[in-house]
Amino acid sequence: MNRFGILFFFLFVFDDCMYNPIIRKLLWPTETSPNLSFLSVLAFPASSAGTVADSPQTGSTAESQTNEDSTTAPVKTITLNSSSYPVLKNDTVQIVAKLFINGTETSSSFTYSSSNTSVATVSSSGLVTAISNGPAVITVQEANGSTTATGQINVYSGYIYTNLDASNSVVKLTINPINGTLTVDQTVPSSGLSPNGIGVDPYGKYAYTGNFDSDTISQFDISASDGSLSFNRTVGTSIQPRNISISPDGKFLYLATQFSQTIDRFSINASNGNLSLLGTTMVGVSIAQTAVDPSGNYLVALHPIGTQVSSFQIDQTTGSLTLKSTSGTIDSPGLFAFHPSGKYLYVGSNPNITALSIDASTGALAIIGTVNQTVSANGIVVHPSGKFFYTTNIGDGTLSCFAINQTDGTLTFSSNIASGGGDVRFLAIEPSGKYAYLAQKGSPFLFAYLIDQTTGALTGLNSYNVGDGQWNLFIK
């Protein structure tokens, strides 16, 4: 007899014995015999793999049982009333946090901390106080747990800096945060010829202009008290410098040069703002603009063949650039604007505006859609909320608004208005997202607009005489 035959013979005898009262009394003389049968013995090994009983023992609860549901950790998430908080210097903003466990809101207390208390502090109740210009991250943590969430703080002063290339000067204006009106405060010589590009470091301490006809960058110190400019020095560049990009941490400045077809790379001295040339990256095609993504990991520029866009990885220590990706074919690219999330890149071209995705891990670029733009765009910008996209159309002096699909980043035309100016250049949006301002070379007037927070539509507010036509502008 094989081993299976022996097993079934034993089980048969064992089962028969369980129903013989004499044998049962001999085996279990002092307690009730178990209700075992042939089938229950066969089933026993399977049921022994778990510890779930037919009914819990006295004093136990269903949660304390060891089963699949009780061993699965609850899913906890913290949501904030916003992911980013633009806040005017010396003002406050309240962070509101909520804890969800398995999708259900649950009462909880939180702790708050700031990554940079010289920029922004936060109270035990989540009230943020803006101290000085710059970025800071507020971390919110469940008081009795490890679940966290973060909010990005951007402290700004509400100053506009615009360069007047024909008169070789820079003008400083102040924005009224209540109604968006402007006050013209100061005009200073650029100490360079034809200032085109303009940039301000993230902490609002230093301003820079790219001087197209003198192949220099002018450096200015910014007063912490009133934002006024004081000329510091000039630094030599490659031939025909255009627009300036500064990394979000304020460590590096990148300059697009038109004739030399290079990107000049500079380090920024944190203590005095002085620039030191680190090197040049040959692009091999005339370029007017570059852009750094919100994470500071990637820079984009025109590809040498002129109909593609390249992404470069930024070395966080040296500022050097390493080519990572090249896009598909784009008609006449040249203008760049990143979505605040860093997930999408928008490229101004003619006759289309092109939307691309950018992989946060690899820098890979992929075209996700185009939208027709029949007039030539000279400047493009994304609203701080990430909901709207704008073009300044040099071809007919209009401004166009597009809605941004929050799921896939694609664009849909929304509205168009006459700018009121001529030879329109660049549009800048105040960090709160309420107001927009236009630099244009057709007259000495800088234009202000109110932004509809639901549709993104622009409504003209007023214009301000700054003394000459403007090439570019920057808000800090």
Side-chain angles (χ1 to χ4, degrees):
M1 182 180 296
N2 62 28
R3 57 186 176 180
F4 295 106
I6 295 173
L7 174 62
F8 279 98
F9 175 78
F10 169 77
L11 292 174
F12 177 81
V13 173
F14 184 74
D15 187 66
D16 185 63
C17 289
M18 295 305 98
Y19 292 94
N20 187 309
I22 298 176
I23 295 176
R24 289 172 60 151
K25 188 67 176 176
L26 289 173
L27 293 174
W28 294 281
T30 60
E31 56 182 331
T32 303
S33 304
N35 184 20
L36 299 175
S37 68
F38 174 68
L39 293 177
S40 67
V41 171
L42 284 177
F44 182 77
S47 64
S48 66
T51 59
V52 181
D54 289 337
S55 60
Q57 297 179 354
T58 302
S60 69
T61 64
E63 287 78 10
S64 65
Q65 297 176 37
T66 305
N67 56 36
E68 183 176 353
D69 291 334
S70 65
T71 58
T72 301
V75 178
K76 294 183 177 182
T77 56
I78 294 175
T79 64
L80 306 181
N81 52 333
S82 180
S83 59
S84 62
Y85 302 84
V87 54
L88 201 61
K89 182 180 175 181
N90 299 323
D91 206 347
T92 60
V93 64
Q94 180 67 53
I95 293 181
V96 179
K98 295 180 180 180
L99 176 69
F100 290 82
I101 300 180
N102 294 331
T104 301
E105 184 178 349
T106 305
S107 177
S108 179
S109 57
F110 303 94
T111 61
Y112 303 84
S113 61
S114 171
S115 66
N116 192 338
T117 54
S118 66
V119 170
T121 60
V122 60
S123 72
S124 59
S125 63
L127 183 68
V128 176
T129 300
I131 306 298
S132 63
N133 283 1
V137 176
I138 302 299
T139 299
V140 182
Q141 182 168 338
E142 178 191 5
N144 298 315
S146 58
T147 307
T148 63
T150 58
Q152 179 70 46
I153 303 296
N154 175 26
V155 180
Y156 66 101
S157 293
Y159 301 132
I160 295 178
Y161 301 96
T162 183
N163 44 4
L164 316 182
D165 70 310
S167 58
N168 302 319
S169 58
V170 181
V171 176
K172 177 249 175 181
L173 307 92
T174 299
I175 301 171
N176 184 321
I178 298 175
N179 54 25
T181 57
L182 299 177
T183 302
V184 180
D185 300 318
Q186 180 192 29
T187 300
V188 297
S190 63
S191 297
L193 302 178
S194 302
N196 282 189
I198 189 167
V200 177
D201 83 292
Y203 298 96
K205 295 181 178 180
Y206 316 109
Y208 306 90
T209 63
N211 305 316
F212 186 79
D213 285 332
S214 58
D215 303 332
T216 59
I217 290 178
S218 293
Q219 175 189 325
F220 302 85
D221 298 330
I222 299 177
S223 169
S225 60
D226 63 7
S228 59
L229 299 173
S230 299
F231 174 74
N232 185 307
R233 66 174 191 153
T234 59
V235 177
T237 69
S238 298
I239 302 174
Q240 293 183 339
R242 282 288 194 184
N243 288 307
I244 290 171
S245 300
I246 298 176
S247 61
D249 59 9
K251 292 171 59 177
F252 307 111
L253 181 149
Y254 298 93
L255 177 70
T257 66
Q258 185 168 305
F259 183 84
S260 295
Q261 303 182 353
T262 62
I263 301 170
D264 289 3
R265 309 187 311 271
F266 297 87
S267 63
I268 301 176
N269 187 308
S271 62
N272 58 24
N274 288 351
L275 300 178
S276 298
L277 181 64
L278 299 172
T280 61
T281 300
M282 174 57 68
V283 177
V285 65
S286 178
I287 61 172
Q289 187 179 6
T290 64
V292 177
D293 84 307
S295 73
N297 289 324
Y298 300 104
L299 176 145
V300 293
L302 192 62
H303 186 272
I305 68 171
T307 57
Q308 293 175 309
V309 175
S310 296
S311 67
F312 299 84
Q313 186 167 35
I314 299 174
D315 187 292
Q316 300 301 300
T317 303
T318 66
S320 62
L321 302 176
T322 302
L323 179 64
K324 300 299 292 184
S325 176
T326 300
S327 74
T329 300
I330 300 173
D331 289 333
S332 304
L335 305 169
F336 307 109
F338 277 101
H339 190 274
S341 69
K343 295 167 60 177
Y344 310 113
L345 170 69
Y346 299 97
V347 179
S349 55
N350 186 27
N352 298 311
I353 302 296
T354 303
L356 302 94
S357 64
I358 179 167
D359 188 282
S361 300
T362 66
L365 298 169
I367 295 174
I368 56 177
T370 60
V371 60
N372 186 255
Q373 176 73 348
T374 57
V375 293
S376 178
N378 188 79
I380 61 176
V381 65
V382 178
H383 191 273
S385 69
K387 296 180 179 180
F388 314 115
F389 171 84
Y390 300 91
T391 65
T392 59
N393 307 317
I394 196 170
D396 63 2
T398 61
L399 306 176
S400 298
C401 174
F402 300 80
I404 299 177
N405 186 306
Q406 299 301 291
T407 301
D408 61 17
T410 55
L411 301 175
T412 302
F413 176 76
S414 177
S415 60
N416 197 72
I417 67 166
S419 67
D423 197 2
V424 295
R425 294 291 167 167
F426 292 93
L427 190 73
I429 299 176
E430 183 247 4
S432 74
K434 296 179 182 179
Y435 311 108
Y437 301 91
L438 173 69
Q440 53 89 36
K441 284 178 59 62
S443 78
F445 292 95
L446 188 150
F447 288 81
Y449 306 88
L450 177 69
I451 301 176
D452 186 296
Q453 300 300 296
T454 302
T455 66
L458 301 174
T459 301
L461 290 177
N462 211 334
S463 60
Y464 301 88
N465 191 332
V466 296
D468 207 343
Q470 318 94 53
W471 186 279
N472 207 335
L473 74 171
F474 196 98
I475 299 178
K476 191 58 184 177

